[in-house]
Amino acid sequence: MKESLRVLVIDDDPWVRDYLETLVSHQGYKVFSAGSGEEALEKLDELQPDLVTLDVILPGMDGLETLCHLKRKMPELPVVMLSGHGQARTIVDAMRSGASDFLRKPFEIEELELAFQKALDKRELAKEVQALRGRVQNDPEAFRLFGDSESMTEVRKVTEQVAGTDITVLIRGESGTGKEVIARILHELSGRAGKTFVKVNCAALPGELLESELFGYEKGAFTGAQQRKLGKFEYANEGTIFLDEISEMSPGLQAKLLHVLQDGAFSRLGGHAEVQVDTRIIAATNRNLEEEVKKGTFREDLYYRLNVVTIALPALRERRDAIPLLVDHFLRKYSKEYNKDSAQISSELMEKFIHNHWSGNVRELENMVKRIVVLGGENAVLSELQASAPDQPEVLIDADEAPPLDGVAEALVQGEPIDLKAIAKRASRMAEKRVISRVLNDTRWNRKEAAERLKISYKALLYKMKENGLGERP
C-alpha cells in the first residue's frame, strides 16, 4: 500500500521541494524532505525511506556524490534523479551509480508517477528474486542432483551467478545428466520466474514441423493450416524457452534462430510481418558443437551467439557423492507417486550403484530406482548390475599380498643387481592407491570427507586420485 511507503525528497530549492512534497503526498505516499545531501544522509537511518527523489545540482555535496553515499548505505534503495540540464554524461554517470531513473525538469506528473512505479516494481522484483534464490538454495530437492564434488560446486556457482540476468546460456553434458533441471533452475531464479517456461526438444520433430512449432504459422501457409497458430517463442514471451538438443536443428532453422537472438524478432510460416518477442533462450546439447561447426552442420555465428555462458554438467560417474542423495530422492518421489510403502535399498545395492558406470547418468539411475519401487524389491536390479559388472574391483588391503616383484625372482637367481628403491616406490604407490580407494568407498565417494579421514587437503586428494587413476571407476 502506498500509504505505508516513505519518500525522501532531496532538493535545495524550497519552491521545488514544496512542490514535490505536495505532488508526492497527493499520490498517497508519506513524504519527508532535505535541502542538501548532507542533511539527507543524516536523516537516512531514522527515516528508512522506500524511495528517494534527488536533484543533481546541490550545494556542497552534489547529487551524484550523494547518490553514491545513499547506495553505499542502502544498496536496494530506489533513487530517481531530477535535473534541469539532463546532459548525457550526467545521465550515464547517474545510471552507472545505481539511479533507478532520470527525469528532466520540468516533467509531467505522469512521468513522475511512472518513474516511481518502475522503481518500486524493480525493487519488489529484486526482493522476489532474492527470496526465490534463497528458497531454491535451501530446498534440498531443487539442488538434489548437486553433490559436493568440485565440478558440481562450480556448476551451482555459475548457475546462481547468471540466473538473474537475461544472458543466453548453453548447457552441455551427456544425455541424462540433468540439463533440463539446470534450465528450470535458471528460470526460477530469474526475474522471469512468474512467466512461462517452454521446453522444445529439437530432436523430436523433423525440420518443417519444428519450424512451425517454434515460430507458428499463418492461415493458409500450407495445406491444413486453417487458422493462425502461435509458436513456442510467442508462448514464451517475457519468459524462458529451453531448446534441448540444439545441435539437431537444421541449417535453415539455425539461421532463423540466429535472427531471433540478434533482433528478438521472427516471422511466422506463411507470414511477412515480423513478430517481436522478449524471450530468454537457454540451449542444451550432448554433442561437441565445436566439431559440428568444423563439419559444417552447425553455424559458427549461431555457436558464438549461444555460447555466451556455458554450464558443463559432469557425468554421474564423475560425481558419485551425489548418488546416495539421488537414490533417496527418487525412492521418496516414486513411493509417493505410486502410493507404495517407503522403499529401502540394501548397502550391497548402494555399493553397486556407487561403482556402476552409469552411461545413462541420472536418468538411468532414476529408472532403476523407479523399478525397485514399482516391483517392491531390489532383486531384479541387483541381478542386472551383478550381470553387467560381475567382478567388482577389490579395494581391501590384503596384508598377505606381496609388493609387485616383476622380474625380481629371475634377477635373484642370476645374481643381477636389484633396484630396491624402485620396488619400495612401486609397493608404496600400490598401498596408497588401495587405501585411498577403500576410504572413498567407505565415504561413498564424498571427497571432502575422504580427505579429512586421510588427513590431507582436498586438492591433495584430487591430485593423488588422478595420479593413481581413481578419477573414474575405482
Side-chain angles (χ1 to χ4, degrees):
M1 296 292 291
K2 284 184 179 181
E3 292 77 9
S4 63
L5 297 177
R6 305 158 72 89
V7 177
L8 175 59
V9 174
I10 308 174
D11 201 299
D12 64 315
D13 188 327
W15 185 89
V16 174
R17 200 163 59 241
D18 290 343
Y19 170 72
L20 284 171
E21 284 186 51
T22 303
L23 187 63
V24 174
S25 63
H26 283 170
Q27 292 181 32
Y29 300 97
K30 290 182 180 179
V31 189
F32 305 88
S33 64
S36 67
E38 291 85 351
E39 182 185 353
L41 291 171
E42 287 177 6
K43 293 181 175 181
L44 195 63
D45 290 335
E46 177 189 347
L47 294 177
Q48 290 293 308
D50 298 287
L51 196 147
V52 171
T53 68
L54 175 59
D55 191 26
V56 171
I57 308 299
L58 291 173
M61 186 187 298
D62 68 14
L64 290 177
E65 188 178 353
T66 301
L67 172 64
C68 292
H69 283 286
L70 288 171
K71 299 300 286 187
R72 195 174 296 124
K73 294 190 74 172
M74 298 180 67
E76 304 304 321
L77 179 63
V79 180
V80 177
M81 301 294 290
L82 307 175
S83 175
H85 304 287
Q87 292 139 340
R89 179 72 185 183
T90 304
I91 296 173
V92 170
D93 288 343
M95 301 308 285
R96 281 179 176 172
S97 298
S100 301
D101 212 331
F102 195 106
L103 298 183
R104 292 184 178 89
K105 299 177 182 177
F107 49 79
E108 299 293 332
I109 296 175
E110 291 79 8
E111 287 184 88
L112 186 64
E113 289 179 349
L114 181 61
F116 276 18
Q117 194 58 55
K118 283 169 58 181
L120 292 170
D121 286 347
K122 187 175 180 180
R123 187 188 68 163
E124 287 305 308
L125 182 61
K127 285 183 178 179
E128 289 175 11
V129 170
Q130 190 62 36
L132 182 62
R133 182 175 285 118
R135 189 168 77 246
V136 174
Q137 286 176 338
N138 294 326
D139 180 3
E141 301 299 334
F143 280 117
R144 181 61 67 175
L145 65 92
F146 291 178
D148 290 329
S149 68
E150 192 173 16
S151 56
M152 287 309 294
T153 300
E154 182 64 21
V155 166
R156 182 170 184 163
K157 178 182 175 183
V158 175
T159 300
E160 291 172 350
Q161 285 176 335
V162 303
T165 72
D166 277 341
I167 203 165
T168 301
V169 178
L170 178 63
I171 306 171
R172 309 177 77 154
E174 295 179 11
S175 293
T177 47
K179 296 187 287 294
E180 183 181 345
V181 175
I182 295 296
R184 288 186 181 276
I185 290 175
L186 285 168
H187 173 71
E188 290 301 321
L189 288 177
S190 75
R192 300 172 181 264
K195 303 297 181 180
T196 309
F197 177 90
V198 176
K199 177 193 173 183
V200 180
N201 188 336
C202 299
L205 296 170
E208 302 78 10
L209 288 178
L210 181 58
E211 182 174 4
S212 66
E213 188 74 8
L214 287 172
F215 304 110
Y217 53 78
E218 297 288 353
K219 180 180 179 180
F222 50 83
T223 304
Q226 299 180 358
Q227 60 183 7
R228 172 188 286 176
K229 178 191 173 184
L230 302 184
K232 297 295 188 183
F233 267 99
E234 288 176 87
Y235 284 115
N237 189 34
E238 297 185 349
T240 303
I241 190 166
F242 173 51
L243 302 177
D244 198 11
E245 305 303 343
I246 190 72
S247 59
E248 302 299 322
M249 189 176 283
S250 67
L253 263 183
Q254 290 177 30
K256 199 163 184 176
L257 176 59
L258 181 64
H259 181 52
V260 179
L261 280 164
Q262 290 173 335
D263 305 321
F266 62 89
S267 56
R268 302 186 191 96
L269 278 174
H272 301 289
E274 286 206 327
V275 179
Q276 291 285 334
V277 288
D278 171 23
T279 305
R280 185 186 191 180
I281 297 175
I282 299 174
T285 183
N286 61 5
R287 291 198 183 184
N288 186 324
L289 286 188
E290 292 79 6
E291 289 299 321
E292 299 298 319
V293 169
K294 288 179 183 177
K295 290 190 294 186
T297 58
F298 200 84
R299 292 179 63 109
E300 185 175 18
D301 46 6
L302 178 58
Y303 166 75
Y304 287 117
R305 278 282 180 176
L306 290 173
N307 197 34
V308 180
V309 170
T310 295
I311 296 176
L313 279 177
L316 183 58
R317 58 188 171 275
E318 296 169 3
R319 45 186 170 105
R320 298 177 189 274
D321 60 297
I323 291 174
L325 297 173
L326 287 163
V327 170
D328 179 62
H329 167 63
F330 293 136
L331 282 172
R332 288 186 289 106
K333 175 183 176 180
Y334 290 111
S335 294
K336 181 179 180 180
E337 184 174 325
Y338 295 112
N339 197 26
K340 299 278 188 177
D341 292 335
S342 296
Q344 300 292 327
I345 66 168
S346 65
S347 57
E348 181 186 5
L349 180 57
M350 181 62 78
E351 288 298 316
K352 296 287 185 184
F353 278 159
I354 290 172
H355 292 110
N356 193 40
H357 185 70
W358 297 118
S359 57
N361 293 291
V362 178
R363 188 178 296 123
E364 183 184 1
L365 174 63
E366 180 179 7
N367 289 336
M368 280 197 174
V369 175
K370 186 191 294 187
R371 284 169 56 196
I372 291 171
V373 173
V374 172
L375 296 175
E378 64 181 42
N379 291 340
V381 170
L382 186 58
S383 298
E384 181 181 327
L385 289 175
Q386 287 173 333
S388 61
D391 299 320
Q392 287 292 341
E394 179 59 59
V395 297
L396 298 175
I397 300 175
D398 188 344
D400 298 325
E401 184 176 351
L405 299 173
D406 299 343
V408 173
E410 184 179 348
L412 287 170
V413 171
Q414 297 182 6
E416 295 177 358
I418 299 169
D419 190 342
L420 188 59
K421 287 184 179 180
I423 293 174
K425 186 175 181 180
R426 288 162 61 193
S428 174
R429 176 68 61 82
M430 175 181 287
E432 180 180 82
K433 179 176 181 179
R434 287 180 173 166
V435 169
I436 293 172
S437 182
R438 172 61 183 267
V439 172
L440 284 169
N441 276 321
D442 288 347
T443 59
R444 293 180 174 175
W445 278 72
N446 185 318
R447 292 167 176 80
K448 288 184 179 178
E449 185 180 342
E452 289 174 1
R453 288 187 60 180
L454 292 166
K455 295 184 178 181
I456 59 176
S457 70
Y458 181 76
K459 286 187 176 179
L461 174 62
L462 295 181
Y463 172 78
K464 287 184 176 296
M465 287 172 62
K466 184 177 181 181
E467 188 179 42
N468 286 291
L470 293 171
E472 295 276 343
R473 193 171 182 168

